[in-house]
Amino acid sequence: MTYGLPDPQMRADFYDGVTAKRAIAWVIDTALILGTAIVLIPFTAFTALFFFPVFLFVVGFIYRWSTLSGAGATWGMRMMGVELRDRDGHRLDSGTAFWHTVGYTVSIAVFPLQLVSVLMMLLSERNQGLTDHILGTAAINRML
């Protein structure tokens, strides 16, 4: 149940274009994560080069968890005017942000789950991906 989220029938403006904005935000976030990982390589005495995919995964996990906690949006999502809200309509707390990041990470690691998630975003009433459905979260347009 999603008690505090805007009703998509009554307040469609909260959900208009969110899926496309999330896709663009994902590209921005991926570039930021890659750039951050590259900048951090010297601080690992260049050992991160030997396990760069794992290092990239860790940097991405920390980035997503830390930016979703409290603010409810990654920097890419903020640039696109989108934020995640929990089932009560509040910004994500650290625990929910952690589990959302875990769900995202699993869906990225298991490609069929990512396909399911994208299809769910395109077809569901609130544009929710797989992790959003499980946690009761939704991405909405940030209203000023």
Side-chain angles (χ1 to χ4, degrees):
M1 292 261 197
T2 51
Y3 299 108
L5 290 172
D7 183 324
Q9 300 297 322
M10 304 291 287
R11 294 299 311 266
D13 54 323
F14 277 102
Y15 302 99
D16 287 341
V18 167
T19 302
K21 290 178 183 181
R22 281 179 92 170
I24 295 167
W26 181 85
V27 172
I28 294 167
D29 290 329
T30 300
L32 289 170
I33 291 165
L34 181 60
T36 301
I38 290 169
V39 167
L40 291 174
I41 288 173
F43 296 100
T44 67
F46 295 95
T47 58
L49 291 172
F50 296 108
F51 55 94
F52 191 70
V54 173
F55 184 67
L56 195 60
F57 164 81
V58 170
V59 169
F61 191 95
I62 292 169
Y63 167 82
R64 289 182 191 286
W65 182 20
S66 64
T67 56
L68 289 177
S69 295
T74 63
W75 291 337
M77 292 170 78
R78 291 176 204 174
M79 288 179 197
M80 296 308 301
V82 174
E83 60 188 12
L84 282 171
R85 295 296 179 117
D86 68 12
R87 69 180 70 249
D88 296 321
H90 301 112
R91 290 184 172 151
L92 303 187
D93 60 21
S94 183
T96 307
F98 174 82
W99 288 112
H100 198 280
T101 303
V102 168
Y104 165 80
T105 303
V106 169
S107 70
I108 288 293
V110 182
F111 186 69
L113 292 178
Q114 185 60 25
L115 286 177
V116 168
S117 190
V118 169
L119 286 173
M120 290 175 80
M121 281 184 213
L122 293 170
L123 301 174
S124 67
E125 194 173 42
R126 286 190 166 93
N127 305 320
Q128 294 169 294
L130 182 58
T131 300
D132 294 320
H133 274 283
I134 292 169
L135 295 177
T137 58
I140 61 172
N141 286 312
R142 183 176 59 230
M143 295 298 174
L144 303 175

